[in-house]
Every structure is written in C-alpha cells, then in structure tokens.
Amino acid sequence: MRAANLTHAEVFGRAAAVAVHAYRVDVDVRDAADPDNRSFPVRAELELTCNAEDTWLDFIGEVDEVTVDGHPRAVEYDGARIELTDLPPRRTIVTVSGRAYYSRTGEGMHRFVDPADGNTYLYTQYEPADARRVFPNLEQPDLRAPFHLSLTGPAHWQLLSNEPEVARTEVADGVVRVDFEPTKPLSTYITCFVAGPYHRVDDTHGDLDLALLCRQSIAEHLDADELFRLTKAGLDWFQTNFGPYPWGPKYHQVFVPEYNLGAMENPGLVTFTEHYLFRSAPTAAQLQARANTLVHEMSHMWFGDLVTCRWWGDLWLKESFAEFMGSHVSVEACGFGDGWVNFATARKVGAYLADAMPTTHPVVDWVADLEAAKTNFDRITYSKGASVLTQLVHYVGLDAFLRGARRYFAEHAYSSATLEDFMDALSAETDRDLSGWVDDWLRTAGHDTLKGYVHHVNGIIDQLAVQRDHYGSGDCSADRPHQTTVGLYRLKDGRLHLAARYPVTVDGPQVEVPEANGLPAPDAVLVNDLDHTFAQIGLDHRTRETLLRHVGDLDPLARAVAWTALWAEVRCGLLAPSRFVHAVLGADEQQAGVLTSLLERCLVAVDRYGAPAAQWVLGARRRAVSAEAGSQEQLLWTKAYLRAAALVNEDVTWVLDGGVPGLEVSVEIMWLAWESLAAQGRALEDDLDAPLSSDDTAAGRKSHLRCLAARPVAAVKEDVWARAHAVGGESNEAVDALLAGFNALGQDALRAPFAQRYFAGLEQVWEEHPIEIALRLVRGGFPRGGSPEAHRWLISHKDAPATLRRLLREAAYEDEIATLASRAHRAA
C-alpha cells in the first residue's frame, strides 16, 4: 500500500516549528544478498529544536524503539509517521531504531540480483520523498542539515555515500562498517547510498577524485574514456561559470539497474540508468542525449543541491534550469553541435503535447501534496520550463543570465530558496523589467501560436507580419513577449533556400517586419526557425505544401521546427496523417535526432491515426535496404521497420538472416525482430529460448518477457494482466515489459475484453500499489477507444485522487486526438 501523503500546509507548519541541526544515520545491509531478508536494520539520530510540543518524523518501515534524549518513549506509529509528543523546548536528540524494506520498484533502497552472475546490487533513490523508506527523517526539502552517514555491508563490496569514506571498522567476519565524512547541509532527498560488488574505474581531475561504477556483468559496455571526457569538460565549464565545485573532494557516477529516472543528482554520488551503457552501437543522438543527462545532473550540484527549492512547487526551477544547461553545455563544452536540434525535435515536442492537454498547468504551479509533486515531474516542468528559460536567455542575454545564477548561488548557498529569490538575483544583473515576464510566461498555462503573414503585389512583398494568438486550453489572458526570428524561404533549382531571416520581438497581436518590403515573395514563411521561443507555429497553405515536399532542404534546426509544425497540424486534424508519413518517407533525413523523432511519430500515425500501415512498412523496409551500409540511418530505418511489421503480419526473419546489407544484427535488433515475430504468432514460447540463451542477461530477460507477453493468445493476455497487477509481485522494469507486450501492435481485439476490468479496478490499483507501479498500470492499461468510458468514470468518481483523475483525463485526450487524426485521414 502506498504511504500516507504529505501536504504543503502541514509541512509548512512543521518547518515553522522545527529546526534540525544534524542527522546521524546508520544503515546495515550485510544480509542483502539473502533473498529471504526483506528488510534491513536502520538507526537514525536527529538533533533538533522544536518550539511546538508535538511534531512527527516520516518513516516507512518497522519501528522498534524511539528515545528522546536517551529516554524511551512509547512508539506511536501508523506506518508512515512517528508521532513525537511533549518535546522539551530546547535542543533535543531523537533516536529511532527499526527496519526498512528493500524495494523492487525503484523507490527507497532498491535491491537487484543480477541473473548473469547472481550478484546483489543496491542503490537508493529518494526524489521527491522516499528517503523515509530508508531512514526516519523530516521529509521536506527546506529542512536541511549535515548528515553523518554510515553503511555496514560485506567487506568486498563497494560501500558508498555522498562523502568520502573516513573510517572502516570490521564488525564481523567479512563485514565492515564504513563511516563517511559529514556532509554539508543537505535535504533528505539528495542523500544517497550505493552498495554491491560494482565494477569501478577511477580517475582524477585537479583536486577531484572521479569514479565510474556499474555492474560487473556489463563492465564491457562502460566506455570510461568517453564518460570521463564528458565529466571533465562539464566540470571545467561549470566551475568557470558558476564557481568552485561545492561538494568536497569527489565526483562519482554510478550506472544502476531498474532505474525509474534517467539520473539523480545526489551530491558527490550521481546515479544514472544503466541504459546509458549501450549494448549496441549508439547513434549520434543517443550519445548526445547521454551527454545532456550527464551535464544536466552536474548542473544540479549548484542549482538544486547547493541551493534547493523550499517546496516541490518550485521543483520546476531546478529541473528547467538543468534541462537548459544539459543542451547548452553539451554544445558549448562537450562537442555535440546538434544539442539544440535534438532538444527541439524530441523534448520540446513532448512539452508542446503536454501543454495542449486539458490538464496543462503553469510552469510555476501550486503543488498541494506529494502525489501532485510526483506527477508534476513532467514534460512541462522539464522541457517547457527549459524552453521558457531559453526564451529568458534570449530576452536578457546569456551573460546576464549566468551572472544572475552566480549571484543566486552566492546569496543562498547551502540553503533553500524560491523563484522570487532567483528572479531578484537575475533582475540585479539586467536592465529588463522581469515582473510582467514572469507572470505571463511562468504563471499561466498554455502557449501561443505564431504565424507568418505575407502580402505581395506582383510577386513583391509589401507587408510581412507575425501574428500572435493563443493556442489550446491554456490561459488566454497571458501577454507573452517573444524574442524570435522569422525566416523567408524560396525555391531555386528545385531546392528550398533561406532568402532572408529577421529577428523580431512579438509583443502584440501583430508585429510588422518592414525590412522585408520589396523582396520577392517567399515560397515558405517559417516563424521561430531558430527555435528561440516556445510557441506553436502556424503554416499558411503555400508554406505547408512547400514544406511537405522540401522540408529536407532546410538546416537541421529549421527542419526540426518545420517537422514539429507539420506534426501539430496532424494532431489538429489539419493535415492527413498519410501525407505526413509520405513526406517522411520522401525526405532524406540524416540527422539522427530528427530522424528518430520522425520515426516515432510515423509509428503513431499508422498505429493510432489511420495512416496506411502497408505504405509505412514497405517504405521503411526500402529505406533500410537502400541506406548506406553500417550507417545510423540504416540502423534507425531497420528498427522502424521491425517495430511496425506486425501491423501487416510481415515475416521479419530475413533481417535476422542478414538481409540488410552491412547491418550489425546486434542484441537490440535481434530482440526487436523476435518481438515482432512473437506479436504475429510466428514465435512460440519454445522458439524464444534460443535468443534468451544467447543473451541471458538482465536486459535479455526483460526483452524475453516482453516477447512472451506480446504473443497474440487470449490466455497469454490474461496471464500478463494478472502478473502486472499482482500486488507486490513484479519489479518496476518487469511491469514495463509486461505492459509493452500486452500493448503489442495489431492486437486491439485481444485487449478489448480488458477495458471494463480496467475502469472497474482503477481505484483499487491506485490504493494498493506503490505510486511507481500504479502510474504504469493506469497509463499502460488505458484501452483504445476508451475516452467515452473515461469521461463517465470521471463524472461518477469526482472524489477520486486528483492525480489519478489527471492521468485519466490525459489518456482520454490522447484517445480523442487519435479519433480526430483518423477522421482527417479518411477525409483526405
């Protein structure tokens, strides 16, 4: 059962009453390798002052003893809160001894047993509020304190925390207790433990000790030289621009299994998903995305760790800042020139989709409780926020933005702060008035549409304007100024060329660009063609038709903007999905990030929006075979073909047999092919033993499970549904695999009987499962065509948890978009 929620009102009151001066936390995982041990001992000592008689500690586990200043107290514990009553009005030491539970859901102390060698690996993951799953604490970001941490475990294991080891004591045969240097003041959610027989590679950079760690069985995939190169380049950039690294003498990075996130910014001990250790040759876009994440987390050492939000309502600020820095520093310091192209075509597209939903929210949003905080770690928080910060940088200038950040760090180091604090620091470094800007960009939901308007006489422009309107269901009262560009493009010798580009400030319903008067009329007008702002881009008829034939002629960033505008028209029902698919097949797209995004959209177009599947599958096959042997385009088109082939029941064994000249049939390609065969009913359970025997690893077993779940048999789907919904049954990644197989392409009829069961069990799913599993089940189980039933459910369940209702509204909206796009296809 999910633990009790925490509300802003109650923790705000606790912060006013309690000051915590220090933590001493002892965790003992010596018996973690024994699968019969579900829990581990923990002892937490908190030195605090409370000016109220009563308060509480947060903890999810078992409580054995509570003492106050050494005197035993009756244990008043409800499974989530330890009540403390009659506290003296002075500095007090509260000690709690008990046991915490190992996790299989990526929350708290996650335990993983490697099927390749039987080794046990542990790591912690706390954001937003899961430190209470490991030790008793005051679980809110504004109550920071130094931590004296110790970890007991097998002597041959890596035993790590935020700070370096300061002492090692043998406590039993083969068991040691490691004490770590006390930390500087930290919020609970960025403390960290890592334990296990991790493979480790060490290096140094100036006075910093660097280390990279991963499971032993995947050590061959740890490309340490490249990862250290990125680490050193990022540290140099941040220390030059933000000041000295603030977290002591080490910067360790650990790649961990079954991770729910891309990474987490624990000071001195950053954890990453091990999916960033590539088992097959990565594309340039994958390498840039990894670099982006690496420097994203590094930026948090300053913004998020050195200065922390007071409550999760300001979580957007640290994440948006880090998202911006991920792209910026990957370009400026790490050598990935396409960083902003990849941001525009992937992360930013997701932000546009989220911001168009009826559940959109301002970047700066009211977060009433922890459940809302969990779901507010979304595409608006990250990608729209980063896009808005990008616009802010163009508004005030990069130098002023960086100076403001440095001022903010200096004024609030090792403490908590708010958006107002950051804007005050930035305002001190610029002449711009930011008060209205903040309200219009950050405190309102939704975004604008910007559209170019050209009037010409005899082929000569006599008026060029940019028109601004509100888009979607957001706040129509916002008056957002846009610092952007407008590009004029003309056809010459059968190709589309940039004829002129003008910077423009769009601060009203229509802004004239008189500099263009007298130029030949363009064939396409593309506003925001350098992607400076966050706005839907409208297309006139001539521009749309020109782009559909010639979008591949544009520079990469303008291409990303144009493709995004075309896809938005598909979702709005203005452009038939089949025409979008035809344009993608005809464009010779080679930029890996743009192509990856386009292939994902085309799969949605054929699977959900009614575009002809046969056209797409045949086209993808032709592009795969004709692409340059061994190129990333060949790899991406082959993956696209394998993913879609089940829609037309096409046997893909020819790919496994080397039918794509020059293609490496990697484990990734192998499993994609077998999943397609399984989904078509061409691979039985026994047939899947062979690929598993060749890749009997954690990743291989997950892929094998996904293939088993994809088989088009009613009894299989029943078993998959039961396994995924079993309380306390499967791990987070196993649930992912089961749901992916359950939702295999071309099996709508097999899934239809589960629709009634889905809606009938929603509240039970939400109540019984940890939130990480509940989120997966609610999103992954939503039935196609289920929007009418979802609306009926919402009407009859007005008192259901707000986060659950939000998930249903979003799923129903996407279902309705699919219906709209399908109608556009039929009309075409």
Side-chain angles (χ1 to χ4, degrees), residues 347 349-351 353-354 357 377-385:
R347 296 172 185 259
V349 170
L353 301 186
M357 286 187 173
F377 278 78
D378 61 7
R379 295 172 292 184
I380 292 175
T381 298
Y382 281 77
S383 300
K384 181 183 177 181

Side-chain angles (χ1 to χ4, degrees), residues 131 167 222 314 360 377 781:
L222 181 69
D314 271 341
T360 185
F377 278 78

Side-chain angles (χ1 to χ4, degrees), residues 705 711 713-725 738 754:
L705 179 59
R711 290 172 295 156
V713 179
V716 168
K717 300 304 180 187
E718 285 286 347
D719 178 65
V720 169
W721 184 270
R723 286 184 63 182
H725 286 77
L738 289 166
F754 294 88

Side-chain angles (χ1 to χ4, degrees), residues 321-356:
F321 185 92
E323 186 85 341
F324 170 82
M325 285 298 164
S327 294
H328 182 73
V329 179
S330 71
V331 173
E332 295 296 315
C334 299
F336 291 95
D338 284 347
W340 284 114
V341 177
N342 294 338
F343 177 82
T345 197
R347 296 172 185 259
K348 197 169 184 178
V349 170
Y352 285 132
L353 301 186
D355 204 31

Side-chain angles (χ1 to χ4, degrees), residues 38-42 59-62 98-102 133-135:
R38 296 180 55 248
S39 63
F40 55 92
V42 60
F59 183 54
I60 301 171
E62 303 171 12
R99 300 185 70 85
Y101 299 111
Y102 293 111
R133 295 181 183 274
V134 174
F135 61 91

Side-chain angles (χ1 to χ4, degrees), residues 2 126 128 137 223 239 256-257 433 495 538 550 580 809:
R2 200 159 57 252
Y126 298 152
N137 62 63
D223 47 337
Q239 292 192 99
V256 299
D433 179 4
R495 293 182 61 83
H550 297 283
F580 184 89
R809 291 179 68 199

